[in-house]
């Protein structure tokens, strides 16, 4: 088989044609609906906590904690993965997705021990999000300081 | 003695019989269209063990024992074992074989390992170095996902080009003389890399190697595709199969009438959510050891070209942006006694 650069390029075009794409519109609609439902649940929790007399600040913290707990529980029960398969970005983007990305490696790598397994691998998916999230907030904070 | 033919092929003179085969698979494979052909279907992913990796080794041990038993032999009769898998350093096989107490060659050819085992074991028999050799290859969906991709519980969507790693072990006992089918020839694959970098499209990465080996096999033996009742690739899936047909069409070789892929046969695309099909060392190993071996035994297939295909990347090479090298080894299996074809 001729593996010249020209032939490789031709092959990559063939591959593009032969490879089915994801169903973008269908996936977007599913992500929108499920993501929306998760946010509605969050709002419901927030409203309920406010009714109980919590301050605005405390309400936010408690709501996040409840959502993180629920997603972690569902991951442990093997249900969040199934939700994610259906909803895609709809269940990844909210804070519940973050919880899932920490819990799932924790469960998977527990077999290699609590230190070298779970401890070392727990942030294997969420680590980059935390690192670059913190870094971005520092940069934005500095910019904000100067333009304020 | 064996004859070197053409550029990359060997023609065997001795009768190298595939005396018995054994296949053990996971639940999902058992629920698929080939379910009734498998010897053992596991009830769950750990098979009574405490981890997926341990389960894979147990499957290897049990299935190799089963293949030997089906050949009417005992493990002591086996002179060599050739086996491999997908796990780092080949632990799926080594931990499964450590209690069998037989001479062992551990192989890595990614998902082409069963073909590699078959080729090397045939050469061993042809050379007179052995007369009873046990071969095998295994993979485990969960253990492979853990090593190559994301944690299983992570809620992500798999692309439509991705394939599903088959859980199981396929094994065969090869003997000098004995009953058909016989291994009569082989074509050793070259590494072919057409620059595919998407680890979720391994069918595309391996298709060029598959097309290359089919073309070389036909040329080396001076035959046309219809010489074979069926040409069977290992785990190209739907995307890879289409690409292989197309690549060969460009070379004026038409295999569209007698060609299939184990990755397509093993799952039901519509009900099992496996996207482009099955993959993994076990894909070609269990499909051959059950379905195709059965068809040859019944005489529904009398001459096949069996081509396990492999994608030779690691998770590190993929992260470093390297393209995925493909490989494929072709084995000619026939029911006819020597000189009868």
């Amino acid at each position: 088989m001729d593996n010249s650069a020209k032939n490789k390029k031709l092959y990559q075009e063939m591959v593009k044609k032969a490879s089915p794409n994801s169903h973008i519109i269908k996936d977007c609609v599913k992500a929108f609906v499920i993501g929306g439902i998760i946010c509605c649940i969050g709002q419901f929790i927030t409203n309920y906590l406010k009714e109980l007399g919590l301050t605005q600040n405390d309400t936010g913290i408690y709501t996040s904690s409840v959502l993180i707990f629920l997603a972690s529980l569902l991951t442990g029960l093997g249900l969040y993965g199934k939700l994610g398969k259906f909803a895609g970005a709809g269940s990844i983007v909210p804070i519940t997705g973050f919880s899932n990305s920490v819990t799932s490696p924790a469960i998977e790598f527990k077999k290699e021990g609590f230190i070298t397994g779970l401890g070392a691998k727990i942030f294997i998916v969420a680590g980059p999000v935390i690192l670059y999230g913190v870094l971005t907030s520092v940069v934005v904070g500095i910019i904000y300081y100067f333009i304020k | 003695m064996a004859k070197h033919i053409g550029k990359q092929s060997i023609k065997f003179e001795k009768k190298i019989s595939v005396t018995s085969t054994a296949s053990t698979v996971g639940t999902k494979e058992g629920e698929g269209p080939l379910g009734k052909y498998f010897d053992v279907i596991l009830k769950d992913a750990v098979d009574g063990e405490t981890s997926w990796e341990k389960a894979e080794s147990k499957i290897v041990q049990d299935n190799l024992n089963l293949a030997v038993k089906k050949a009417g032999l005992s493990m002591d009769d086996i002179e060599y074992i050739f086996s491999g898998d997908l796990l780092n350093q080949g632990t799926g096989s080594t931990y499964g074989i450590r209690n069998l107490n037989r001479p062992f060659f551990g192989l890595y050819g990614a998902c082409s390992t069963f073909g590699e085992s078959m080729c090397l074991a045939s050469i061993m028999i042809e050379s007179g170095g052995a007369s009873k050799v046990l071969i095998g290859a295994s993979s485990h969906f969960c253990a492979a996902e853990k090593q190559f991709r994301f944690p299983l519980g992570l809620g992500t969507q798999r692309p439509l080009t991705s394939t599903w790693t088959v859980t199981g072990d396929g094994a065969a006992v090869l003997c000098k003389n004995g009953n058909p089918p016989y291994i009569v020839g082989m074509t050793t694959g070259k590494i072919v890399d057409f620059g595919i970098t998407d680890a979720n499209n391994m069918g595309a990465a391996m298709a060029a190697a598959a097309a290359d080996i089919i073309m070389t096999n036909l040329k080396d033996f001076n035959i046309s595709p219809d010489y074979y009742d069926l040409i069977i690739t290992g785990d190209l899936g739907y995307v890879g199969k289409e690409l292989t047909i197309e690549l060969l069409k460009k070379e004026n070789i038409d295999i569209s009438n007698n060609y299939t892929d184990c990755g397509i046969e093993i799952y039901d695309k519509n009900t099992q959510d496996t996207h482009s099909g099955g993959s993994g060392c076990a894909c070609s190993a269990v499909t051959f050891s059950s379905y195709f071996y059965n068809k040859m035994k019944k005489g529904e297939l009398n001459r096949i070209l069996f081509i396990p295909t492999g994608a030779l990347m690691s998770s590190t090479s993929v992260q470093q942006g390297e393209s995925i090298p493909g490989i494929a080894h072709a084995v000619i299996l026939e029911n006819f006694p020597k000189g009868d074809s």
Side-chain angles (χ1 to χ4, degrees), chain A residues 6-77:
Chain A
K6 191 183 146 205
N7 210 29
K8 279 186 185 176
K9 211 171 164 199
L10 273 175
Y11 181 64
Q12 278 162 26
E13 270 157 37
M14 270 171 71
V15 170
K16 223 180 259 175
K17 230 174 80 186
S19 305
N21 291 318
S22 302
H23 311 293
I24 290 192
I25 295 184
K26 202 170 94 185
D27 287 348
C28 282
V29 171
K30 287 197 285 192
F32 179 79
V33 172
I34 300 296
I37 290 174
I38 292 173
C39 294
C40 287
I41 295 171
Q43 189 61 48
F44 176 78
I45 297 167
T46 302
N47 289 359
Y48 179 71
L49 292 174
K50 270 191 189 159
E51 287 287 310
L52 292 181
L54 264 69
T55 65
Q56 178 71 28
N57 208 11
D58 284 351
T59 313
I61 294 166
Y62 281 110
T63 304
S64 303
S65 304
V66 171
L67 287 174
I68 287 170
F69 169 76
L70 285 176
S72 195
L73 180 70
L74 290 176
T75 303
L77 294 172

Side-chain angles (χ1 to χ4, degrees), chain A residues 104-121:
Chain A
S104 56
I107 295 169
E108 188 137 326
F109 292 101
K110 203 181 121 201
K111 296 202 173 64
E112 284 76 45
F114 280 97
I115 307 294
T116 51
L118 192 155
K121 300 279 179 65

Side-chain angles (χ1 to χ4, degrees), chain A residues 1 11 85 100 108 111-112, chain B residues 50 146 152 155 204 212 273:
Chain A
M1 197 119 311
Y11 181 64
K85 161 118 191 80
N100 168 249
E108 188 137 326
K111 296 202 173 64
E112 284 76 45
Chain B
T50 51
K146 181 176 175 177
L152 280 193
D212 185 78
D273 192 33

Side-chain angles (χ1 to χ4, degrees), chain B residues 182-195:
Chain B
Y182 302 109
I183 296 172
V184 299
M186 58 177 263
T187 306
T188 310
K190 296 181 293 189
I191 290 180
V192 181
D193 188 337
F194 270 23

Side-chain angles (χ1 to χ4, degrees), chain B residues 14-191:
Chain B
K14 286 186 180 152
K15 275 172 120 181
I16 302 165
S17 149
V18 184
T19 306
S20 74
T21 59
S23 54
T24 299
V25 295
T27 324
K28 192 179 183 83
E29 293 70 27
E31 287 164 355
L34 305 185
K36 64 176 178 185
Y37 295 98
F38 300 124
D39 294 310
V40 178
I41 298 168
L42 304 176
K43 287 194 186 75
D44 58 46
V46 286
D47 192 28
E49 296 292 320
T50 51
S51 74
W52 300 320
E53 292 78 9
K54 285 181 185 169
E56 179 168 347
S57 295
K58 179 165 181 264
I59 297 168
V60 170
Q61 179 178 323
D62 292 351
N63 198 55
L64 290 179
N65 274 319
L66 181 61
V68 172
K69 194 177 153 198
K70 282 175 78 179
L73 300 169
S74 81
M75 196 48 88
D76 284 345
D77 299 324
I78 298 297
E79 288 146 343
Y80 284 95
I81 301 175
F82 289 81
S83 182
D85 60 281
L86 287 180
L87 298 184
N88 287 336
Q89 287 77 44
T91 52
S93 309
T94 51
Y95 283 69
I97 288 165
R98 65 178 160 183
N99 292 326
L100 299 183
N101 208 24
R102 303 313 306 149
F104 164 62
F105 285 111
L107 306 175
Y108 187 81
C111 314
S112 73
T113 301
F114 196 64
E116 202 179 349
S117 309
M118 223 177 218
C119 290
L120 295 174
S122 301
I123 294 170
M124 179 66 91
I125 292 176
E126 181 81 8
S127 73
S131 57
K132 295 179 193 74
V133 181
L134 178 57
I135 64 166
S138 68
S139 53
H140 191 297
F141 171 75
C142 306
E145 287 292 306
K146 181 176 175 177
Q147 182 176 302
F148 289 100
R149 297 183 189 88
F150 292 117
L152 280 193
L154 190 70
T156 53
Q157 287 174 330
R158 297 167 53 249
L160 296 178
T161 52
S162 68
T163 45
W164 190 280
T165 305
V166 170
T167 300
D169 181 84
V173 175
L174 309 188
C175 293
K176 195 178 111 188
N177 301 322
N179 296 325
Y182 302 109
I183 296 172
V184 299
M186 58 177 263
T187 306
T188 310
K190 296 181 293 189
I191 290 180

